[in-house]
Amino acid sequence: MWLVMSDTAEQVVIEQLVGAIADVEETEPDRLDICLQDHVSIDAIQDLVTHGSNAWRLQFETQNHIIEITGNHIIIVDGQQVRDFT
């Protein structure tokens, strides 16, 4: 139930973010019962990813997880680095 938009570099980050949550839940991304837009602005994530500096960090909560994404291309779920994003 996650959001899919165009296949841009920014969208790849969103897909990797959803993939990281799925990894933690030990399921496939398309089996997740989560809509990221209910928890964080997708536009904000995309703006940060395309920002000229990597000196940023965004943290948000879903019903079951605390998720953090950094300007250093790291996705952290529940305090554990799950994956890097490109």
Side-chain angles (χ1 to χ4, degrees), residues 25-82:
E25 293 197 7
E26 298 179 346
T27 190
E28 295 298 317
D30 61 348
R31 298 189 58 91
L32 286 175
D33 188 24
I34 185 174
C35 180
L36 282 182
Q37 285 185 314
D38 291 344
H39 304 282
V40 66
S41 167
I42 301 300
D43 290 337
I45 293 173
Q46 292 174 333
D47 288 346
L48 286 169
V49 167
T50 59
H51 187 260
S53 169
N54 66 351
W56 59 267
R57 178 179 299 260
L58 174 69
Q59 181 175 309
F60 63 95
E61 294 182 28
T62 66
Q63 184 174 359
N64 300 318
H65 303 287
I66 298 173
I67 297 137
E68 191 170 342
I69 182 170
T70 74
N72 294 325
H73 303 275
I74 297 171
I75 299 172
I76 301 165
V77 180
D78 300 329
Q80 300 292 327
Q81 181 173 335
V82 177

